[in-house]
Amino acid sequence: EQVYEINGFADVVISTNNVGYYENEFVSYGGKIFKILSYTGTNRFYRLLDVVFGDILRQYKLIRIIKNNGPYELVHCNNGFQAGWCVFAAKLAGVKKRISHIHDSFPKTNYFLLNLKRRILGYYISAYSTDILACSREAGESVVSAGSFTVVTNSYDESLYNPTIYESHNDI
């Protein structure tokens, strides 16, 4: 079992402009929230540019954030295949502990370029993560090879939230 102690407080990087429910509280404790956004407009040309080059730009921005605000003891990425860019950027920025956390399973698609991108990012996750966690075997194996990750199952009892175990929905 590994336990990571964080001296000070954690900072986060998110990919939305929305203000999260706990964002103000998080900042009040001393954490910083950095936002790296994708293009969300309707211009098809700019959307294509973002699909092709956006990940590289966001990776560069992440390296700058880490170098300008660190040093950081660890980086924990939990955004699916995008964790590949995240741990690669963290490696380039000199972070020694880089954790990828896979929450969802990603079935193969009929889109060659998407499958190729996923394959490359899966390689980045394997090559540049010091630890890989997955919420299930299926989630882990859909991103990296079997045996290269640790399954950390959800810590809540799902049956407590299953309405079929109650006689009526009024009991919920």
Side-chain angles (χ1 to χ4, degrees), residues 2 17 20 96 127-128:
Q2 296 177 323
N17 232 356
K96 294 194 180 349
Y128 300 111

Side-chain angles (χ1 to χ4, degrees), residues 69-140:
N69 295 279
Y72 291 101
E73 294 178 35
L74 67 92
V75 169
H76 179 147
C77 309
N78 63 353
N79 51 347
F81 277 99
Q82 298 304 318
W85 293 118
C86 176
V87 292
F88 183 57
K91 170 78 173 172
L92 293 176
V95 178
K96 294 194 180 349
K97 195 68 158 169
R98 300 170 304 277
I99 302 168
S100 290
H101 193 165
I102 305 162
H103 291 271
D104 302 314
S105 59
F106 298 90
K108 291 227 187 271
T109 71
N110 292 328
Y111 301 103
F112 172 77
L113 290 178
L114 179 58
N115 287 330
L116 178 63
K117 180 178 178 180
R118 286 179 172 180
R119 201 170 159 99
I120 292 167
L121 292 175
Y123 169 77
Y124 276 26
I125 290 170
S126 295
Y128 300 111
S129 299
T130 57
D131 298 277
I132 303 171
L133 308 175
C135 289
S136 69
R137 183 181 52 76
E138 293 80 12

